[in-house]
Amino acid sequence: MTLPSPIPVSGPLRVKELNPAQVTAILGNDPRLIIPIGTCEQHGPHLPLGCDTIIVERMADDLSAEYGVLRAPTVEYGVNVDTERGFTGNASLRKKTLHRMLNDLIDSWEATGVREFILLTAHGHDPHQEALATVITTAARVRVVDMFGVNLSDLLEGQREAMHGDEVDTSIMLFLCPEMVSLDQAQDYMMSREQLRRYRRGWLTVPSGSAGSIGRPSLASAEKGKRIYERIYSKINDLPRIYNGLGIAILSTPRGVMSDNEARAANVGGEVLCRVF
């Protein structure tokens, strides 16, 4: 008689490293699935193209290990910000493509027992976030967690919020993977708050005057990255208790203004106007 494989007792529970019986047993204890969603996008000459992916994978692994929640294989591509000049290696999906891909993946996982999906991302581009916020399920709950939706202003010196290849990204990468950071090549480039808003919406491209990053990466440090990462981790830990499933996103869609739940039910996408908790 063949005995079933034991469930790992430590470390992240990565779906790709488990067999179907193990996944079934884990879902029987906790029917949630963390899906890390990254990008393949330049963040300036000092950071790797997979910066967002590396950060979100580490967070997903840490959450999975602490709480015994399944962790899906990483979605390595997202909706990138347009740039005025080309960057070798950049690879982006259209918002509709990312949305449809996630719908297909989530449909498969829901059919085999997942009852809550946690879509974890470290990419603040609005079209990317909208693709995540409007995924459709039959009955399962979907929660989108933007790692950089946390207030970090008191931990920063040269900026008040997360930007792109900036003091935040660079500090976290110095903490997690210092060997991948070329800090001597970091170049600062600041935008006004209005320019930053338009940039995130996709109405303003990364200017040709920028090396690719937005913000002040020259002020980054590993110590700062450790504090930033721990702040984000503690806030994500608080999400289930603070929001308790009551938060909603309000979207502008071709059928009018809807909540994210209504948009999923109507199978329509749109632009996120605000989030209410």
Side-chain angles (χ1 to χ4, degrees), residues 39-134:
T39 63
C40 182
E41 179 181 30
Q42 70 80 29
H43 283 72
H46 62 295
L47 290 176
L49 288 154
C51 172
D52 289 342
T53 304
I54 292 164
I55 292 170
V56 79
E57 283 186 315
R58 174 62 178 271
M59 182 63 69
D61 278 346
D62 287 348
L63 291 168
S64 173
E66 180 168 354
Y67 294 105
V69 178
L70 276 174
R71 193 274 237 198
T74 304
V75 176
E76 295 263 6
Y77 302 95
V79 184
N80 293 0
V81 178
D82 288 333
T83 61
E84 288 186 356
R85 59 193 177 96
F87 289 90
T88 306
N90 261 14
S92 181
L93 298 176
R94 296 179 180 86
K95 180 173 78 170
K96 184 180 292 185
T97 304
L98 178 60
H99 179 256
R100 287 175 172 172
M101 179 173 67
L102 289 171
N103 280 340
D104 286 349
L105 292 171
I106 283 172
D107 183 60
S108 298
W109 281 317
E110 184 176 11
T112 56
V114 178
R115 295 294 172 260
E116 179 177 343
F117 295 93
I118 301 166
L119 308 185
L120 185 65
T121 189
H123 185 49
H125 188 37
D126 282 3
H128 176 89
Q129 298 265 346
E130 288 156 10
L132 276 55
T134 53

Side-chain angles (χ1 to χ4, degrees), residues 206-218:
V206 177
S208 57
S210 164
S213 54
I214 305 295
R216 299 201 183 277
S218 65

